[in-house]
Amino acid sequence: MELRQLRYIIAVAEERNITRAAERLGMQPPPLSRQIRAIEREIDAQLFRRKPRGVELTDAGRAFLDNARAVLAQVDHTFETTRRTARGEQGRISVAYSSTIAFHPLIPRIIREFREAFPLVMVTLVEGYPEHLIERMQNDQIDVSFIRRLAPKAEGVDIALLLEEPMVVALPSGHTLAQSDDGRAAALSLKALAGETFILFGAPHGALNMQSSAFVAACHAAGFNPRVGQVVPHISSRLNLIAAGLGIAVVAASLQHIKIEGVAFRRVSGVGQLKAPLSLATRRGDSSPVVRQFLKLAKRTARNFQGDNREA
C-alpha cells in the first residue's frame, strides 16, 4: 500500500462522497472508486458502506482512518524534521569557551540570540583551557570554540575573528598607580609598570599562553623584562591574587565587568599590539548545517554588538 492510497481513504471519509473526494484529489470518480475497492480487497475488510447519496465508514473504516491519519502525520513530521535538520534549524551543537573570555558580554549575547533564533537546536556549553578545547574540537568532541588566539600547531581549524578589545591593567585598589595624581583615570604607560610583579595566565607549571607570551614580548619592546610572580590557569585566580596585593596583570578590557572587591582597573598605553582578539574556532570543512548557522549568527551578532558600542 502506498501513502497516496491512505490519502484516498482520508479524503473519501472526510467528504463522505466519492465525487467530492475525487475533485479534492484532482482525479476522476471511477479511478478513485477502483482504488478504494482495491484497498478493501488488499486488507480484506470493508471500509465504506455505499449509500444512495454517498458513503459512510464502517467500524473497520474508522479504525483504518485513525491509523492512516497517524501514519501520514508521522511521515509529515519526519519530512519536516529532515528539512529543518538540513537547514541547521534542528539538531545539537556543543559550544566551548575559555575562562579568559567567559565574561565578555558578546558571548552570552550570541548564545541567547542563537537559542531564540533556533529553539529546536540543543546547545551544550563547555568551559576549558584554550589549548585543550581546540584539541577536543579536532577530536570531534566539541563543535565550536570561542578563543582568544590559535596556537600555530593547531591543524584543521578555521578562525573567524569576531572583534578585538583593548587591554587594561588590573591593580590592587590601594596601589599607588590605581589613581592618578589629578584624580582622573589617565592611561598608564607600560614602562611605568616595569617595577611591578606580574601575575600571568598559563598552565600550572607549564608554558605561558599566547596572550601572556605576547605581553612579555611587549615588555621587552618597552625596555624591561617583567618580573613574574605567579602563573595561574584561571582568570578568577589572577584577580583574587591581585586583590590580595600579590601583583598586577594586563588583561582584556571586558574583565572590568567582574566586580571583585580590592581590584581596580586603569587604561594602559604602549600595548597597542596587545589587542585581545575574540574569535570563533570551527573545524575546517565542517559540514554541519547547525555549525554554519551558529557561525553566521555569531558574525552578525558581533557586527551589531560593535555597532551598538560605537553608537553608545
Side-chain angles (χ1 to χ4, degrees):
M1 185 173 296
E2 301 176 9
L3 291 178
R4 62 185 178 83
Q5 293 176 302
L6 299 182
R7 294 188 172 90
Y8 295 162
I9 299 296
I10 293 172
V12 173
E14 290 177 348
E15 297 295 338
R16 299 185 178 185
N17 184 280
I18 294 291
T19 300
R20 290 198 299 269
E23 291 176 355
R24 169 174 157 180
L25 294 167
M27 59 191 303
Q28 294 298 315
L32 178 57
S33 295
R34 289 194 294 271
Q35 286 287 339
I36 298 300
R37 288 194 295 271
I39 295 169
E40 291 177 324
R41 285 195 301 270
E42 181 178 347
I43 62 177
D44 193 22
Q46 183 180 358
L47 302 179
F48 297 99
R49 293 188 188 91
R50 277 64 179 176
K51 302 176 66 178
R53 294 184 178 274
V55 296
E56 66 177 9
L57 285 167
T58 63
D59 289 343
R62 280 189 286 270
F64 187 97
L65 177 65
D66 291 341
N67 285 282
R69 284 171 169 162
V71 168
L72 289 181
Q74 182 60 44
V75 169
D76 290 341
H77 174 73
T78 299
F79 289 167
E80 184 55 32
T81 297
T82 302
R83 295 187 193 102
R84 286 196 297 262
T85 302
R87 294 193 297 262
E89 298 170 359
Q90 184 169 336
R92 60 182 63 214
I93 186 172
S94 55
V95 181
Y97 59 93
S98 65
S99 61
T100 60
I101 59 175
F103 297 97
H104 196 290
L106 178 60
I107 303 303
R109 180 165 169 177
I110 289 174
I111 300 298
R112 182 177 63 253
E113 292 188 5
F114 183 81
R115 294 184 70 242
E116 291 173 352
F118 303 98
L120 296 179
V121 174
M122 179 182 296
V123 180
T124 303
L125 300 180
V126 180
E127 183 177 1
Y129 195 68
E131 283 75 8
H132 297 164
L133 294 178
I134 293 300
E135 182 179 342
R136 291 183 65 186
M137 188 175 67
Q138 291 171 318
N139 293 331
D140 295 334
Q141 295 174 328
I142 58 177
D143 297 309
V144 300
S145 180
F146 290 103
I147 62 170
R148 287 295 188 189
R149 290 176 173 86
L150 183 65
K153 62 181 180 180
E155 297 180 357
V157 178
D158 285 332
I159 290 293
L161 178 64
L162 302 179
L163 56 79
E164 290 183 313
E165 58 176 315
M167 307 295 285
V168 298
V169 58
L171 313 114
S173 56
H175 197 290
T176 55
L177 295 177
Q179 187 65 41
S180 61
D181 294 337
D182 60 5
R184 294 180 300 176
L188 299 170
S189 68
L190 183 60
K191 195 165 186 177
L193 307 177
E196 302 296 329
T197 298
F198 291 92
I199 301 172
L200 301 185
F201 184 75
H205 312 296
L208 300 177
N209 79 339
M210 285 176 290
Q211 183 174 323
S212 293
S213 298
F215 165 73
V216 172
C219 291
H220 291 165
F224 70 96
N225 189 38
R227 182 169 64 245
V228 179
Q230 298 188 55
V231 177
V232 295
H234 300 293
I235 188 60
S236 57
S237 302
R238 294 178 77 188
L239 297 181
N240 285 329
L241 292 176
I242 292 169
L246 297 180
I248 70 173
V250 173
V251 299
S254 58
L255 293 181
Q256 295 177 93
H257 294 288
I258 307 175
K259 304 299 181 182
I260 294 184
E261 185 177 355
V263 178
F265 296 92
R266 289 281 301 276
R267 292 181 296 119
V268 58
S269 60
V271 290
Q273 73 275 27
L274 282 182
K275 296 288 186 180
L278 177 52
S279 302
L280 185 63
T282 58
R283 280 186 296 274
R284 184 166 301 151
D286 195 325
S287 61
S288 167
V290 175
V291 169
R292 291 198 297 269
Q293 291 285 17
F294 190 89
L295 179 59
K296 181 180 177 180
L297 182 141
K299 291 178 178 179
R300 183 174 67 246
T301 303
R303 289 194 298 269
N304 294 339
F305 179 85
Q306 294 181 87
D308 293 345
N309 286 344
R310 282 194 294 269
E311 292 178 5

